[in-house]
Amino acid sequence: SNIFEIKKNNDILVFSPNEKSKNNIWIEFLGIPLGYILRKNGFNVIHGSSVGYKQSSACIIGLSGQGKSTLALGMIKNKFYFITEDLCVIKDNTIYQISPWVKSTRKVISNLNSDFVKKIEIKNDSRSRDLFRLNDNNCKKKSFPKAFYFPVEGKKSIEKMSKVDSFKFLFTNFYRIHNNKTDDLKRISTLAEEIPCFFFYRDIKDSINANSNYLSSHFKSLISWKNNLLIRYEDLIQDTKNEFTKIANFVGDLLKL
């Protein structure tokens, strides 16, 4: 594989051991090198995939090989849209799409009947994946993150994580900068405090659709509950304003007497 050196001015030096590696430079760049460049430029970067529903998005976070991209592709079938794969890039409570390309196997793409417009073969990939460019109709440029999910094996369920576990798992998957520990810890703490984190226990024997449907239903319920709570809160504020207006008018009438 290639070696990328990122300079302080964001210039990148690439060292390729052979011609085969040179052909994969841009594919490899879309992962760790790009993640660190974005982190250096003020973005929070987490290793994961992200999908959105309406104006809200869910990030599926974890180490390589945990099925993040496959879950994301499966959720598209449930009226979710694709935001990002491999890099969850967040700033000012907004998650941004970096690329409409996703790494997956031909078998997964075929089983899910995923709508893609272009495919690029990745030679010597350890998991026999290729790059697929998803149709723009299934993608969105940005959204608002409302939940972080961490896939783990187990009996199918979704469990809210403690603040300690949220911090630990975010810390593991967060792009951290050397000699910048204080800022990194502050950023991770803020994310763990502001965005609810969940363990997603999934049965690996179940189908992709079964697991992605389960996760989709949970997220839809989550944002529906939050939206209803927000509506009730806004109604309460409006009612309070109306009452204060009535009182003010009443006092004004008294003063005229």
Side-chain angles (χ1 to χ4, degrees), residues 56-75:
S56 302
S57 58
C59 297
I60 308 166
I61 302 168
L63 302 177
S64 297
Q66 292 187 322
K68 302 180 299 296
S69 301
T70 301
L71 282 168
L73 288 170
M75 292 173 77

Side-chain angles (χ1 to χ4, degrees), residues 22-33:
K22 286 183 179 179
N23 294 330
N24 285 335
I25 285 177
W26 79 271
I27 296 174
E28 294 178 13
F29 174 76
L30 289 176
I32 293 174

Side-chain angles (χ1 to χ4, degrees), residues 55 81 83 94-97 140-144:
Q55 298 302 315
Y81 47 81
I83 299 176
T94 303
I95 185 165
Y96 296 91
Q97 183 184 74
K140 196 167 185 178
K141 298 296 183 183
K142 61 182 181 179
S143 184
F144 305 104

Side-chain angles (χ1 to χ4, degrees), residues 152-214:
V152 290
E153 290 184 22
K155 186 177 179 180
K156 192 178 294 179
S157 63
I158 294 177
E159 176 185 309
K160 190 144 190 312
M161 298 167 68
S162 67
K163 294 300 181 186
V164 173
D165 281 338
S166 298
F167 180 89
K168 284 165 52 179
F169 278 75
L170 282 171
F171 181 87
T172 301
N173 295 280
F174 193 83
Y175 278 65
R176 305 187 301 275
I177 298 178
H178 185 60
N179 293 330
N180 200 15
K181 294 180 181 178
T182 301
D183 185 53
D184 283 339
L185 294 177
K186 182 178 179 181
R187 288 171 177 268
I188 296 169
S189 297
T190 300
L191 289 172
E193 194 66 37
E194 293 182 349
I195 301 177
C197 298
F198 300 89
F199 286 122
F200 172 35
Y201 294 95
R202 73 199 193 286
D203 189 344
I204 59 173
K205 294 180 182 178
D206 275 355
S207 67
I208 297 171
N209 284 328
N211 282 313
S212 59
N213 289 347
Y214 190 84

Side-chain angles (χ1 to χ4, degrees), residues 25-111:
I25 285 177
W26 79 271
I27 296 174
E28 294 178 13
F29 174 76
L30 289 176
I32 293 174
L34 179 59
Y36 274 107
I37 288 175
L38 291 167
R39 177 63 191 88
K40 281 184 61 181
N41 284 274
F43 291 88
N44 295 322
V45 183
I46 308 169
H47 184 223
S49 299
S50 180
V51 292
Y53 182 74
K54 296 183 178 179
Q55 298 302 315
S56 302
S57 58
C59 297
I60 308 166
I61 302 168
L63 302 177
S64 297
Q66 292 187 322
K68 302 180 299 296
S69 301
T70 301
L71 282 168
L73 288 170
M75 292 173 77
I76 293 175
K77 296 301 179 183
N78 293 314
K79 297 184 178 180
F80 282 71
Y81 47 81
F82 176 81
I83 299 176
T84 183
E85 188 252 358
D86 207 29
L87 300 176
C88 293
V89 180
I90 301 171
K91 189 173 186 179
D92 298 330
N93 198 34
T94 303
I95 185 165
Y96 296 91
Q97 183 184 74
I98 300 303
S99 167
W101 293 84
V102 60
K103 286 181 186 176
S104 190
T105 63
R106 300 173 192 178
K107 181 179 179 180
V108 168
I109 294 293
S110 176
N111 287 345

